[in-house]
């Protein structure tokens, strides 16, 4: 290994003051001479997916020390999307992704770290750390906290998403609050990221697919001792990655991103991956076009049906069936992946050569997929000229056509109130606007409205369309990320109650069925500040959200800050 970055703070006469501070930490001469490895831990006491990460970090540090490194742990913030859902807190979730990346950059650069082990879990923490990894381009390995086990209630599997849907059953009079109390007590039985293929687990699986984590990163349950073994191996492995000078940008190439999208399509991952992969690509100075998702989806069928898809399996089932490696082996054998890309453990084809499918009920063969197309679709049309996203893999009919009458709301709160009070009925196309990256600000995740509709049995007969985003746990006709957003003058700002909207999933189109003359007339009167004020939010608000709104880009650019290359 060549000169270490940490030599900047440990070698030479001029660094005696620095060494005195390191000695105050209890470091020995030997430890100061070894590579300094940053252990990036997102532990906190608010997020069930993070509550056990101290133990994971100790296992990582054991691995680092055993391989000749000196581990130094530091923390990042982490928002629990479930707890932040449905109130002011959700404005800060996606916005927190950028702060996570910035905080890692600050700590790594300020302390001259040689390499990093990232310990993320949950929705925005995984992509925030991935962005930091690509930005810093220091040798690194990822090891997540792992997924939660599903709960059990009344003889069926349960999770956070089914609790949200259970709320809809209470609002519609199908169940009472005592039943809901029993449900909530049984749905989330362990630590870990929520049990289905929601955003956190989607991103942990895709981190594995990108090659920055060991096999099993996305699927080994949080409560299994095997997760601690994985953490120790990650700590040991980072020393090899450092010695070989293998950098994140050597691993996360355009080809590797295409591989990750292929795995995304096969698994039926969260719609939020469409936000995070472009943002990660941007940090690696890689181009990412949303239309490429459809191109890959046309080639890669969906072969896994995981919750929130009705009747879907859970992450524990995917792991027992062979995990992400088995899915990648299926795709590689049919020429749907490039096996020549590099991973933290070597060439991809070598890494997965012995992987096999152990349960074809969970990982179907390509000859009998759930759908001939992948689990996500990017919709284009006059209502979304720069794209919108839907999780077709969570629909009963992934090729359906819907045409309905618009019911327009200028905030999630107004739409949620209307849904709960019975103001939304079959055939409605609910438009929720001024919830985009700038208009929100922060692009709130709207699991409440989608889950309530599902609980009411309306998820197949009502469309939800927004310039904001839905949860990785949302299902039904939930179309998010409509770009350009209303706050930037996108046509979603001009839709009126009663307008006809048509969704054609087979053609991947989102159409606003109003004459061109009428559209032009409405556009002439656009005043973004009035629209934001009507929604109860001002883009120029103070504090972090105000700064965020000033710098954030559109959803089609991953809601990354200005300066993106895409």
């Amino acid at each position: 290994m060549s000169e270490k970055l940490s030599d900047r703070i440990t070698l030479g006469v001029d660094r005696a003051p620095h060494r005195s501070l390191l000695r105050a930490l209890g470091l020995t001469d030997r430890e100061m001479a070894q590579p300094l490895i940053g252990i990036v831990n997102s532990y906190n006491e608010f997020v069930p997916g993070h509550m056990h990460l101290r133990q994971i970090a100790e296992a990582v540090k054991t691995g680092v020390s055993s391989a000749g490194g000196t581990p130094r742990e530091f923390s990042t913030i982490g928002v629990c999307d479930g707890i932040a859902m449905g109130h002011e807190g959700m404005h800060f979730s996606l916005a927190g992704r950028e702060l996570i990346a910035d905080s890692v950059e600050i700590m790594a650069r300020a302390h001259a770290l040689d390499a990093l082990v990232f310990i993320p879990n949950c929705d925005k923490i995984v992509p925030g750390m991935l962005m930091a990894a690509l930005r810093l381009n220091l040798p690194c390995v990822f090891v997540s906290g792992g997924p939660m086990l599903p709960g059990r209630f009344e003889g069926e599997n349960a999770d956070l998403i089914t609790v949200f849907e259970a709320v809809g059953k209470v609002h519609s009079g199908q169940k009472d609050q005592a039943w809901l109390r029993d449900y909530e007590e049984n749905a989330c039985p362990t630590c870990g990221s929520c049990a289905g293929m929601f955003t956190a687990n989607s991103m942990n699986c895709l981190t594995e697919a990108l090659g920055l984590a060991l096999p099993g990163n996305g699927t080994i349950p949080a409560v299994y001792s095997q997760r601690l073994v994985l953490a120790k191996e990650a700590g040991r492995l980072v020393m090899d990655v450092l010695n070989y000078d293998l950098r994140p940008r050597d691993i996360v190439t355009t080809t590797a991103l295409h591989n990750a999208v292929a795995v995304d399509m096969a698994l039926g991952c969260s719609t939020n991956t469409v936000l995070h992969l472009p943002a990660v690509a941007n940090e690696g100075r890689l181009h990412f076009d949303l239309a490429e998702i459809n191109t890959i989806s046309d080639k890669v069928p969906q072969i896994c049906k995981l919750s929130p898809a009705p009747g879907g399996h859970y992450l524990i089932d995917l792991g027992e069936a062979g995990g992400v490696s088995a899915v990648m082996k299926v795709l590689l054998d049919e020429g749907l992946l490039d096996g020549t890309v590099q991973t933290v453990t070597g060439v991809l084809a070598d890494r997965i050569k012995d992987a096999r499918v152990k349960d074809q009920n969970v990982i179907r063969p390509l000859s009998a997929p759930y759908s001939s197309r992948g689990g996500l679709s990017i919709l284009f049309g006059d209502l979304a000229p720069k794209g919108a996203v839907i999780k077709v893999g969570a629909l009963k009919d992934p090729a359906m056509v819907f045409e309905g009458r618009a019911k327009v709301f200028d905030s999630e709160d107004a739409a949620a109130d209307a849904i709960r009070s019975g103001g939304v009925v079959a055939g409605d196309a609910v438009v929720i606007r001024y919830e985009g990256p700038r208009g929100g600000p922060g692009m709130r995740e709207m699991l409440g409205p989608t889950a309530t509709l599902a609980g009411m049995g309306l998820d197949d007969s009502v469309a939800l369309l927004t310039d904001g985003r839905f949860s990785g746990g949302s299902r039904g006709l939930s179309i998010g990320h409509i770009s350009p957003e209303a706050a930037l003058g996108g046509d979603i700002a001009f839709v009126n109650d009663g307008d006809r909207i048509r969704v054609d999933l087979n053609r991947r189109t989102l159409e606003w069925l109003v004459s061109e003359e009428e559209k032009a007339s409405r556009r002439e009167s656009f005043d973004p500040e009035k629209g934001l004020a009507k929604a109860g939010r001002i883009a120029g608000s103070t504090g972090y959200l105000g700064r965020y709104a000033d710098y954030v880009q559109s959803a089609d650019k991953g809601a990354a800050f200005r300066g993106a290359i895409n």
Side-chain angles (χ1 to χ4, degrees):
M1 183 174 56
S2 60
E3 179 184 1
K4 308 189 305 297
L5 290 175
S6 58
D7 289 345
R8 298 173 183 175
I9 62 172
T10 60
L11 290 185
V13 173
D14 293 337
R15 295 301 180 251
H18 305 66
R19 290 192 297 273
S20 70
L21 291 170
L22 294 174
R23 293 184 196 283
L25 295 171
L27 293 187
T28 66
D29 286 338
R30 180 174 179 176
E31 287 173 317
M32 284 188 278
Q34 294 177 158
L36 293 183
I37 310 301
I39 312 301
V40 190
N41 190 357
S42 56
Y43 164 81
N44 66 53
E45 293 183 335
F46 280 97
V47 189
H50 296 195
M51 61 185 288
H52 62 304
L53 295 188
R54 280 179 172 169
Q55 189 178 20
I56 299 292
E58 289 304 315
V60 169
K61 287 189 275 188
T62 296
V64 170
S65 297
S66 70
T70 300
R72 295 285 88 192
E73 182 182 349
F74 63 92
S75 62
T76 70
I77 62 169
V79 171
C80 177
D81 276 32
I83 295 173
M85 193 77 64
H87 60 92
E88 179 190 22
M90 185 45 70
H91 289 292
F92 291 89
S93 176
L94 181 62
R97 184 188 70 180
E98 317 307 312
L99 280 180
I100 291 167
D102 290 349
S103 67
V104 176
E105 177 189 10
I106 288 169
M107 291 296 289
R109 293 295 191 213
H111 300 101
L113 299 176
D114 296 301
L116 299 162
V117 178
F118 290 92
I119 309 175
N121 232 20
C122 301
D123 291 20
K124 309 311 170 295
I125 296 85
V126 188
M129 289 190 182
L130 283 169
M131 290 164 66
L134 271 292
R135 182 187 304 174
L136 290 163
N137 204 32
L138 292 173
C140 71
V141 176
F142 278 68
V143 57
S144 76
M148 184 184 290
L149 295 178
R152 295 286 293 173
F153 183 70
E154 295 184 343
E156 296 183 351
N157 286 329
D159 57 40
L160 175 69
I161 307 307
T162 60
V163 179
F164 271 97
E165 293 180 356
V167 171
K169 295 183 184 296
V170 175
H171 282 301
S172 63
Q174 301 173 57
K175 298 290 184 180
D176 60 22
Q177 291 186 41
W179 173 85
L180 183 62
R181 172 63 181 264
D182 287 344
Y183 205 128
E184 73 180 66
E185 289 179 347
N186 289 278
C188 298
T190 73
C191 62
S193 48
C194 296
M197 190 55 83
F198 317 135
T199 304
N201 292 326
S202 294
M203 292 307 301
N204 281 331
C205 287
L206 295 189
T207 302
E208 185 178 332
L210 283 169
L212 289 174
L214 284 160
N217 178 71
T219 55
I220 297 172
V223 294
Y224 280 19
S225 296
Q226 190 181 355
R227 175 64 54 180
L228 297 177
V229 173
L230 189 76
K232 290 178 182 177
E233 287 300 313
R236 181 199 57 76
L237 177 62
V238 77
M239 298 306 297
D240 291 339
V241 173
L242 174 61
N243 289 330
Y244 286 115
D245 195 29
L246 184 60
R247 309 286 179 133
R249 294 187 193 179
D250 299 326
I251 295 170
V252 182
T253 61
T254 299
T255 302
L257 280 167
H258 288 172
N259 281 351
V261 173
V263 173
D264 191 332
M265 297 305 105
L267 291 174
C269 289
S270 163
T271 52
N272 285 315
T273 62
V274 174
L275 278 179
H276 301 320
L277 288 178
V280 172
N282 170 65
E283 295 289 353
R285 301 297 183 262
L286 300 169
H287 181 72
F288 192 101
D289 187 343
L290 287 184
E292 293 175 5
I293 293 175
N294 285 342
T295 300
I296 295 172
S297 178
D298 285 338
K299 299 176 183 176
V300 180
Q302 183 178 356
I303 56 175
C304 297
K305 200 82 163 179
L306 300 159
S307 177
H313 298 101
Y314 287 84
L315 268 292
I316 185 174
D317 302 310
L318 177 61
E320 291 174 355
V324 174
S325 290
V327 173
M328 295 185 81
K329 184 65 162 59
V330 170
L331 300 181
L332 180 65
D333 287 347
E334 292 299 318
L336 298 173
L337 284 187
D338 188 322
T340 66
V341 296
Q342 184 64 251
T343 76
V344 289
T345 56
V347 175
L348 176 63
D350 294 337
R351 169 175 171 154
I352 63 174
K353 61 182 174 61
D354 296 324
R356 62 185 181 86
V357 175
K358 301 174 184 177
D359 186 345
Q360 290 194 348
N361 291 316
V362 179
I363 303 173
R364 285 191 175 183
L366 291 173
S367 59
Y370 285 101
S371 172
S372 61
R373 282 177 168 178
L376 298 179
S377 276
I378 307 300
L379 309 182
F380 293 96
D382 51 10
L383 199 55
K386 293 187 177 179
V389 62
I390 182 170
K391 188 169 184 174
V392 291
L395 289 168
K396 294 175 183 176
D397 179 8
M400 71 182 299
V401 176
F402 173 90
E403 185 175 321
R405 58 193 170 274
K407 283 192 176 175
V408 182
F409 303 92
D410 288 332
S411 72
E412 173 193 3
D413 311 273
D417 288 344
I419 292 169
R420 286 192 293 264
S421 65
V424 171
V425 298
D428 285 344
V430 176
V431 176
I432 308 174
R433 62 193 179 194
Y434 294 105
E435 291 286 1
R438 181 175 186 270
M443 208 176 184
R444 288 193 289 180
E445 182 172 288
M446 299 184 222
L447 179 56
T450 62
T452 302
L453 282 174
M456 291 177 166
L458 293 172
D459 51 309
D460 288 329
S461 57
V462 170
L464 284 173
L465 305 96
T466 184
D467 53 5
R469 62 191 178 89
F470 295 113
S471 166
S474 295
R475 59 186 173 93
L477 270 170
S478 302
I479 300 167
H481 308 186
I482 290 176
S483 299
E485 61 175 297
L488 295 177
D491 275 354
I492 189 173
F494 313 120
V495 179
N496 289 341
D497 286 341
D499 289 351
R500 303 296 295 180
I501 292 175
R502 180 181 175 87
V503 181
D504 188 327
L505 297 183
N506 192 51
R507 294 174 54 230
R508 294 187 175 121
T509 55
L510 179 56
E511 298 171 297
W512 178 29
L513 304 181
V514 172
S515 71
E516 292 303 318
E517 294 77 14
E518 178 64 19
K519 291 175 186 176
S521 174
R522 295 185 193 179
R523 290 174 187 137
E524 289 177 359
S525 61
F526 176 64
D527 184 336
E529 296 307 320
K530 285 185 178 179
L532 288 168
K534 182 181 179 183
R537 295 180 302 282
I538 304 298
S541 58
T542 60
Y544 178 63
L545 285 181
R547 297 196 301 274
Y548 180 86
D550 286 341
Y551 283 93
V552 72
Q553 297 184 108
S554 182
D556 64 293
K557 297 184 183 297
F561 278 174
R562 284 203 310 268
I565 64 166
N566 295 332

